[in-house]
Amino acid sequence: MACQGLSKGETVSSLRAESENLKAKLEEERSKLHDVELHQVAEKVEALGQFVMKTRRTLKGHGNKVLCMDWCRDKRRIVSSSQDGKVIVWDAYTTNKEHAVTMPCTWVMACAYAPSGCAIACGGLDNKCSVYPLSLDKNENLSAKKKSVAMHTNYLSSCSFTNSDMQLLTSSGDGTCALWDVESGQLLQSFHGHSADVLSLNLAPSETGNTFVSGGCDKKANVWDMRSGQNIQSFETHESDINCVRYYPSGDAFATGSDDATCRLYDLRADREVAIYSKESIIFGASSVDFSLSGRLLFAGYNDYTINVWDVLKGTRVAILFGHENRVSTVRVSPDGTAFCSGSWDNTLRRWAGYSFRFVYCCIWTL
Amino acid sequence: MARDMSDKDILKMEIDQLQKEVKTAREPVSKTAKELCDFVETQSAEDPLIKGVPEDKNPFKEKGGCIIT
């Protein structure tokens, strides 16, 4: 890439010094308004009662690590994707598999349900995001209608439809995010600003306008204007990769889960981090986070096989959930907030009639 | 694309971004934190995992029975 506008005497170290100066100035400006802590303001909020959640359903069928999952807006269907290239659509009420697709690549790291419930999107090591219309005919081969929409120059880490089936937002190991027109496959907007792999993205709740947040291996969380492609705000307080980003239901904040074993809350109007969810005993990375419907609870899945439930306002942990036998890779609350689904690298060996089967589970948890 | 950029270009991109961000309009945490708390309080009544879900209303509680699809 050609270097533009090189000033005389500009070196990497002088630029670095300038960058450090600006970061210090930004922190100074942010600190001026840091007049109180969230948990102090939250002292007046009623404490939560005892919190007990159990696994009520297990979705069995993936043969290898579950990497991603997404709920359909109908609150009962789920799409999940795994390391062995399989993408499965489930009815979470009955645990029946409704559709299954085998991708031509392994490590399908991203999958998403379309708002209409009539299609799914997925991708991973193929560097693409493809859309599969879901047929009512269970015998139809879904792969026949597959449409390649997004093309990146490295793995696809995350994908999401926007408020309609017509546009897809993707993030990639190539360091960019992009907005695509599903019908034509045209690139509508690209988002540059991360300096390493982007691992996760999340669209703001529709009432709050056209923005989304992304997080990645550069330890940054960036907020973007979808129309202009501009990076509006950026936060760099994590000490390691950010694996997951999720908006607070009001759209005024977002949470992150990171390899530094913490989850954090960033307030968009105060323009700063306002809470850290951590404990000395938690030393493994948080891979995935999601809020309960009101935003009071934050569910976080960790590489130590547990799910921790945090009181978002008071900053305390309200429960630890044990149910997986390997890393929890994905945690998603259902659209009506009655349950959440967790996917894992669980690999349970079962023997039956002389054959060995490995089953990997997604679990549905509720009160 | 970031992978193909030189250190200098990445730093320039960062500097441009930081210069914009220093000028972002901000509100005090005392105000915004209160609004986060207020939001939760108004929504908590409708949050099934906070207020609880009656057995008969929770589709995940009991397996069995009739589900009309």
Side-chain angles (χ1 to χ4, degrees):
Chain A
M1 187 170 166
C3 291
Q4 297 148 351
L6 258 187
S7 308
K8 208 172 176 190
E10 221 176 46
T11 59
V12 169
S13 46
S14 72
L15 288 175
R16 203 157 269 156
E18 196 185 335
S19 173
E20 291 308 312
N21 271 342
L22 281 169
K23 283 182 188 173
K25 181 127 207 309
L26 181 56
E27 189 42 45
E28 201 186 300
E29 292 299 314
R30 283 171 164 166
S31 298
K32 286 179 187 166
L33 294 167
H34 188 199
D35 51 356
V36 76
E37 297 292 343
L38 172 61
H39 64 82
Q40 290 171 309
V41 173
E43 270 160 27
K44 301 183 207 135
V45 177
E46 202 182 310
L48 291 168
Q50 217 211 352
F51 192 79
V52 177
M53 280 184 92
K54 294 206 173 85
T55 304
R56 302 290 178 174
R57 297 278 190 281
T58 47
L59 307 178
K60 301 175 202 179
H62 277 294
N64 214 315
K65 304 177 174 69
V66 174
L67 301 176
C68 187
M69 50 138 318
D70 190 23
W71 287 87
C72 178
R73 284 186 186 183
D74 71 1
K75 310 164 233 173
R76 75 185 276 174
R77 284 173 179 81
I78 288 178
V79 61
S80 60
S81 63
S82 75
Q83 184 196 355
D84 64 0
K86 288 253 177 9
V87 178
I88 301 178
V89 175
W90 315 79
D91 176 335
Y93 292 179
T94 61
T95 75
N96 290 336
K97 294 185 211 29
E98 295 202 337
H99 303 277
V101 165
T102 304
M103 293 282 284
C105 66
T106 56
W107 289 90
V108 187
M109 293 171 243
C111 64
Y113 229 116
S116 68
C118 298
I120 53 165
C122 53
L125 285 188
D126 57 350
N127 299 357
K128 294 192 227 172
C129 190
S130 305
V131 174
Y132 292 83
L134 295 175
S135 167
L136 288 172
D137 175 1
K138 306 265 160 85
N139 293 320
E140 189 175 349
N141 179 9
L142 286 188
S143 301
K145 297 232 168 95
K146 169 182 171 176
K147 196 183 189 56
S148 272
V149 173
M151 293 275 301
H152 279 277
T153 55
N154 212 304
Y155 65 89
L156 186 83
S157 53
S158 185
C159 63
S160 172
F161 284 88
T162 61
N163 294 317
S164 78
D165 287 18
M166 301 286 84
Q167 291 182 354
L168 203 53
L169 199 53
T170 56
S171 66
S172 168
D174 67 14
T176 71
C177 297
L179 181 66
W180 310 84
D181 177 275
V182 172
E183 193 51 49
S184 64
Q186 198 195 349
L187 173 65
L188 298 171
Q189 187 62 260
S190 65
F191 305 89
H192 300 275
H194 281 286
S195 51
D197 305 22
V198 185
L199 298 179
S200 174
L201 65 82
N202 187 226
L203 221 57
S206 43
E207 309 76 47
T208 47
N210 286 310
T211 59
F212 72 94
V213 60
S214 64
C217 295
D218 57 358
K219 312 176 209 168
K220 287 207 197 124
N222 291 337
V223 181
W224 307 88
D225 179 315
M226 257 167 50
R227 289 204 198 96
S228 66
Q230 289 298 310
N231 177 356
I232 312 169
Q233 282 168 283
S234 134
F235 303 91
E236 196 177 349
T237 60
H238 271 292
E239 292 164 24
S240 187
D241 297 4
I242 295 177
N243 296 313
C244 186
V245 290
R246 213 114 212 110
Y247 268 95
Y248 187 73
S250 71
D252 293 327
F254 66 90
T256 52
S258 163
D259 275 353
D260 68 8
T262 71
C263 297
R264 297 181 194 224
L265 187 72
Y266 296 88
D267 183 321
L268 291 169
R269 285 168 315 158
D271 188 41
R272 63 170 302 114
E273 172 196 290
V274 291
I276 306 183
Y277 308 103
S278 66
K279 268 178 135 42
E280 269 183 39
S281 53
I282 301 175
I283 56 173
F284 283 82
S287 59
S288 184
V289 296
D290 203 3
F291 286 98
S292 70
L293 213 62
S294 64
R296 182 66 191 269
L297 300 170
L298 184 71
F299 296 94
Y302 291 77
N303 294 339
D304 66 0
Y305 317 169
T306 66
I307 295 162
N308 286 304
V309 187
W310 301 91
D311 180 327
V312 170
L313 303 179
K314 294 186 187 281
T316 52
R317 180 172 61 185
V318 297
I320 320 178
L321 304 175
F322 300 97
H324 284 290
E325 291 161 27
N326 208 314
R327 291 187 184 204
V328 179
S329 53
T330 175
V331 165
R332 295 295 290 272
V333 174
S334 69
D336 62 358
T338 51
F340 77 87
C341 183
S342 61
S344 157
W345 286 20
D346 264 341
N347 210 323
T348 309
L349 187 61
R350 296 272 139 93
R351 292 193 184 286
W352 181 76
Y355 295 97
S356 302
F357 296 94
R358 283 200 181 271
F359 285 117
V360 179
Y361 300 163
C362 288
C363 293
I364 311 271
W365 305 76
T366 187
L367 288 171
Chain B
M1 264 208 69
R3 282 162 174 247
D4 307 325
M5 289 168 74
S6 70
D7 282 350
K8 255 190 185 152
D9 292 324
I10 292 182
L11 283 166
K12 276 175 181 266
M13 191 166 78
E14 252 180 39
I15 288 170
D16 263 340
Q17 182 61 28
L18 287 164
Q19 282 167 341
K20 278 187 222 144
E21 288 188 36
V22 166
K23 300 182 194 142
T24 302
R26 295 176 188 88
E27 294 175 22
V29 178
S30 49
K31 173 168 184 271
T32 63
K34 178 153 191 321
E35 284 168 14
L36 288 178
C37 294
D38 289 344
F39 178 83
V40 165
E41 297 205 276
T42 54
Q43 302 292 313
S44 284
E46 295 310 313
D47 185 339
L49 297 175
I50 302 280
K51 71 170 169 100
V53 188
E55 287 278 341
D56 53 352
K57 292 252 159 61
N58 188 342
F60 295 109
K61 277 248 160 112
E62 279 311 313
K63 211 170 173 183
C66 295
I67 298 177
I68 299 168
T69 52

